[in-house]
Amino acid sequence: MKPRFSIGYNFDLESFLQLISAYNKHIDSVYFPIPRKYLGSGRILDEPPRYEKEVIELIKRCRGMEITPFMILNSTIVSASGIISVLSYTKRLHENGLLNHATVTDPYLMMQIRKEMPGMFVEASTLCRIRTVQEAKYFRELGVSRITSCRETIRDMKLLKEICGVLPVKVMANEGCIKNCVYRFAHYNMLSANVDEQPLLPFGDAYRKRKRMMEEMDGMCVFTVSRHPHKVFSAPLIRPEDLKRYRENSAIILKCYSMGGKPSCYWRMNIIRWDAASILLSGLPGKNCRTLCFFPAANAADGPRIPSGMS
């Protein structure tokens, strides 16, 4: 029996619906971020102009295919007014019978969701960085029904088994972040703060300066890989042949990470992760799957790149 996966929305409704339709029997759930007018996100890149309407369509199509839709509330930066706005939007979807599952980072937001929407299934985000059994117990007390493993525990089967004794665990199968990256939390905060960004017209010095700074902040971890290419092999990717070790534990669900929007000018990680996801979903690497490779760039500013012909 092949495993079932949780996969992330790529902000392209047409292509994504084709994907989940093709792999329907292998997909357990789909996750997508709340529109950033309500809350920033640790994973948002390019949000389409019609994204709020896309969310409704995505939820309906997933439910029609018996795939569970999960809304991501994983901002590492929240405020009291922001929480009120998030609760209002989430509750509206919940009461209209559209949304019953959410992945959350902030513990206080978890408490408020459980209080105002008792029927909501709450999952702790990987950004909660749950690394011990005691931390898992703490989140269970908050009403969490499942946790997402942090990047440092993905390959620690002994620890995962112990945590599964407290709560079921969702494990990221194709995680590409380098191990113990010092830029990770700054990266999350930068993305989460996007909700507070003041709009700027797409021209002028202020726009160009902010765009350059955002790109530099987004690519700090990639600069590390450019200087030390071997570090890319510290990324905790799960090889297809190792999937059976995770399938042996019924409390583990596998998650395929994805990124939205067009490929980054620094690192085409969304293409790499989607390839990894396709390999995992198909169950075995074969002639129809592209080889996943990272090559250091000649110019550190360009970041690692995939050789031509492979992208």
Side-chain angles (χ1 to χ4, degrees), residues 96-107:
N96 287 335
L98 293 171
L99 187 71
N100 296 311
H101 298 76
T103 302
V104 188
T105 295
D106 185 77

Side-chain angles (χ1 to χ4, degrees), residues 27 38-39 56 69 80 93-94 97 101 109 142 153-154 164 182-183 188 202 207 232 236 262 280 307 311:
I27 299 175
Y38 301 103
L39 187 70
I56 304 299
L93 294 178
H94 181 61
H101 298 76
L109 182 55
L142 294 177
T153 65
I154 290 175
C164 282
V182 297
Y183 300 114
Y188 292 155
Y207 173 82
V232 74
K262 296 179 181 179
L280 292 165
S311 58

Side-chain angles (χ1 to χ4, degrees), residues 2 10 12 14 23 48 55 66 81 84 117 133 149 160 185 199 211 213 218 222 224 231 233 239 267 285:
K2 290 185 178 181
N10 69 339
D12 184 333
E14 182 179 355
Y23 290 107
V55 165
E66 298 184 347
S81 59
I84 292 172
M117 292 162 271
V133 171
S149 65
L160 285 176
F185 293 104
K211 185 174 186 296
M213 292 181 70
D218 190 35
V222 181
T224 299
K231 288 186 178 293
F233 295 105
R239 301 179 305 172
W267 202 357

Side-chain angles (χ1 to χ4, degrees), residues 41-114:
S41 170
R43 74 178 302 271
I44 283 181
L45 289 184
D46 298 317
E47 182 179 290
R50 296 183 66 258
Y51 180 59
E52 192 163 352
K53 292 183 178 180
E54 281 187 13
V55 165
I56 304 299
E57 178 67 15
L58 178 64
I59 291 174
K60 290 180 177 179
R61 297 292 290 272
C62 285
R63 293 170 70 91
M65 288 185 270
E66 298 184 347
I67 295 173
T68 304
F70 268 85
M71 188 160 70
I72 302 294
L73 310 173
N74 69 344
S75 174
T76 56
I77 301 175
V78 295
S79 64
S81 59
I83 285 179
I84 292 172
S85 177
V86 168
L87 289 174
S88 175
Y89 176 72
T90 305
K91 193 171 184 178
R92 186 163 70 249
L93 294 178
H94 181 61
E95 291 180 345
N96 287 335
L98 293 171
L99 187 71
N100 296 311
H101 298 76
T103 302
V104 188
T105 295
D106 185 77
Y108 182 73
L109 182 55
M110 293 175 183
M111 293 170 59
Q112 293 304 306
I113 289 174
R114 297 295 297 146

Side-chain angles (χ1 to χ4, degrees), residues 237-248 279-280 283-285:
L237 294 164
I238 297 176
R239 301 179 305 172
E241 57 265 38
D242 291 332
L243 287 178
K244 60 182 180 182
R245 301 180 62 198
Y246 296 84
R247 291 205 302 267
E248 290 169 357
I279 291 175
L280 292 165
L284 51 94

Side-chain angles (χ1 to χ4, degrees), residues 12-297:
D12 184 333
L13 187 60
E14 182 179 355
S15 69
F16 191 77
L17 291 176
Q18 291 175 359
L19 176 75
I20 63 176
S21 177
Y23 290 107
N24 187 0
K25 64 181 180 180
H26 301 300
I27 299 175
D28 171 80
S29 57
V30 162
Y31 60 94
F32 54 92
I34 186 173
R36 67 180 175 201
K37 64 183 284 187
Y38 301 103
L39 187 70
S41 170
R43 74 178 302 271
I44 283 181
L45 289 184
D46 298 317
E47 182 179 290
R50 296 183 66 258
Y51 180 59
E52 192 163 352
K53 292 183 178 180
E54 281 187 13
V55 165
I56 304 299
E57 178 67 15
L58 178 64
I59 291 174
K60 290 180 177 179
R61 297 292 290 272
C62 285
R63 293 170 70 91
M65 288 185 270
E66 298 184 347
I67 295 173
T68 304
F70 268 85
M71 188 160 70
I72 302 294
L73 310 173
N74 69 344
S75 174
T76 56
I77 301 175
V78 295
S79 64
S81 59
I83 285 179
I84 292 172
S85 177
V86 168
L87 289 174
S88 175
Y89 176 72
T90 305
K91 193 171 184 178
R92 186 163 70 249
L93 294 178
H94 181 61
E95 291 180 345
N96 287 335
L98 293 171
L99 187 71
N100 296 311
H101 298 76
T103 302
V104 188
T105 295
D106 185 77
Y108 182 73
L109 182 55
M110 293 175 183
M111 293 170 59
Q112 293 304 306
I113 289 174
R114 297 295 297 146
K115 178 181 178 181
E116 297 196 19
M117 292 162 271
M120 182 74 78
F121 181 101
V122 176
E123 177 181 87
S125 166
T126 183
L127 274 62
C128 294
R129 211 176 177 215
I130 300 170
R131 295 161 295 168
T132 68
V133 171
Q134 187 57 47
E135 288 172 330
K137 290 180 178 179
Y138 175 77
F139 280 94
R140 183 177 62 184
E141 292 176 0
L142 294 177
V144 167
S145 300
R146 184 167 63 208
I147 65 176
T148 307
S149 65
C150 75
R151 289 161 173 83
E152 285 72 29
T153 65
I154 290 175
R155 292 181 177 176
D156 191 334
M157 297 303 298
K158 180 177 182 296
L159 178 57
L160 285 176
K161 183 177 180 179
E162 293 173 352
I163 292 177
C164 282
V166 180
L167 284 172
V169 178
K170 182 181 284 185
V171 178
M172 291 183 288
N174 62 326
E175 174 51 51
C177 287
I178 59 176
K179 187 176 181 181
N180 299 320
C181 179
V182 297
Y183 300 114
R184 186 173 298 153
F185 293 104
H187 191 189
Y188 292 155
N189 290 340
M190 180 270 292
L191 292 173
S192 297
N194 278 348
V195 70
D196 297 322
E197 292 282 355
Q198 296 299 314
L200 290 174
L201 294 175
F203 54 82
D205 291 341
Y207 173 82
R208 285 190 290 269
K209 183 176 181 180
R210 192 173 79 181
K211 185 174 186 296
R212 175 181 57 79
M213 292 181 70
M214 289 285 288
E215 289 177 347
E216 289 177 351
M217 292 169 70
D218 190 35
M220 290 304 294
C221 55
V222 181
F223 295 152
T224 299
V225 176
S226 297
R227 294 191 297 268
H228 309 284
H230 66 279
K231 288 186 178 293
V232 74
F233 295 105
S234 71
L237 294 164
I238 297 176
R239 301 179 305 172
E241 57 265 38
D242 291 332
L243 287 178
K244 60 182 180 182
R245 301 180 62 198
Y246 296 84
R247 291 205 302 267
E248 290 169 357
N249 193 325
S250 61
I252 291 179
I253 290 179
L254 293 167
K255 170 182 175 180
C256 286
Y257 184 85
S258 67
M259 296 176 74
K262 296 179 181 179
S264 167
C265 61
Y266 287 108
W267 202 357
R268 303 176 70 180
M269 184 59 79
N270 53 344
I271 290 176
I272 295 168
R273 281 167 168 157
W274 271 113
D275 271 3
S278 70
I279 291 175
L280 292 165
L281 287 168
S282 65
L284 51 94
K287 61 183 180 181
N288 295 323
C289 298
R290 288 176 285 183
T291 303
L292 309 185
C293 296
F294 294 81
F295 283 75

